[in-house]
Amino acid sequence: MKPVQKMKAFILTTLLVSGALFFTGCSKETVIPKSEHEKLFDYLTSELGNKKWFLKAIYVNGALQPLTDAQKRYYKTYTRTQSPFTATFLDDDGNRGEAYLLSVIQLKEVINNGPTGAATRDYVVKELSEKTMDIQITNPPGVPAQIVREVYYAN
């Protein structure tokens, strides 16, 4: 091989390798893993932004309660907003308001359309996954308190 041909082959090889490295390097994206809080909010509202939850079971002070026909049809819908960890919600009783996933164990609902004004429900999140929501509230606040656990499923 002549020196000119060697030089052309070297330049061509260098250009091919550097081009391949350049395009391979540009296609890599840094993926930042979601926090547990972000994952749970995705489960609550779905990554698409809207999720409907259906009542599966109610426990009062640890005892499973039979569901009425109305309770068997009861649902809650959570729709994410632009604010972090904040959603609007609507339930089968006609309650509307905001829901805040304050932490991985705290869900607050503020009902805005109650007949006596705004009302707040503070839940403890026992489990929240893609298909299951298990939340608990002390209802009503005061003595003697009832611990009400609501278990929901999503399709």
Side-chain angles (χ1 to χ4, degrees):
M1 203 185 247
K2 295 182 183 179
V4 173
Q5 288 178 326
K6 284 184 181 180
M7 183 60 88
K8 285 182 180 178
F10 175 75
I11 291 173
L12 181 60
T13 304
T14 303
L15 287 173
L16 288 173
V17 169
S18 60
L21 290 174
F22 175 77
F23 288 114
T24 303
C26 289
S27 67
K28 292 182 182 177
E29 292 181 24
T30 303
V31 177
I32 300 171
K34 290 186 176 185
S35 70
E36 191 64 22
H37 197 178
E38 290 169 317
K39 289 178 194 174
L40 292 180
F41 190 69
D42 286 347
Y43 294 150
L44 180 69
T45 61
S46 96
E47 289 188 55
L48 300 175
N50 189 9
K51 191 172 226 179
K52 194 172 193 177
W53 293 92
F54 299 92
L55 187 62
K56 180 179 181 180
I58 295 177
Y59 297 83
V60 176
N61 294 330
L64 179 63
Q65 304 297 303
L67 295 179
T68 65
D69 288 338
Q71 289 170 326
K72 290 176 185 175
R73 293 185 305 274
Y74 182 82
Y75 66 87
K76 288 185 179 195
T77 303
Y78 294 95
T79 304
R80 65 176 60 221
T81 66
Q82 297 298 320
S83 300
F85 308 112
T86 303
T88 58
F89 82 93
L90 164 69
D91 71 16
D92 191 49
D93 292 334
N95 295 314
R96 294 175 181 271
E98 284 85 38
Y100 306 93
L101 189 62
L102 301 174
S103 72
V104 296
I105 60 167
Q106 291 179 286
L107 174 65
K108 174 181 267 193
E109 292 180 350
V110 178
I111 301 168
N112 294 330
N113 67 333
T116 59
T120 301
R121 296 188 284 207
D122 290 304
Y123 290 99
V124 173
V125 178
K126 298 179 71 61
E127 180 185 355
L128 185 53
S129 66
E130 189 175 356
K131 300 285 185 185
T132 302
M133 178 170 63
D134 188 342
I135 54 179
Q136 181 174 293
I137 190 168
T138 301
N139 193 21
V143 181
Q146 281 188 327
I147 298 172
V148 179
R149 183 174 153 214
E150 303 170 9
V151 181
Y152 294 86
Y153 70 91
N155 293 332

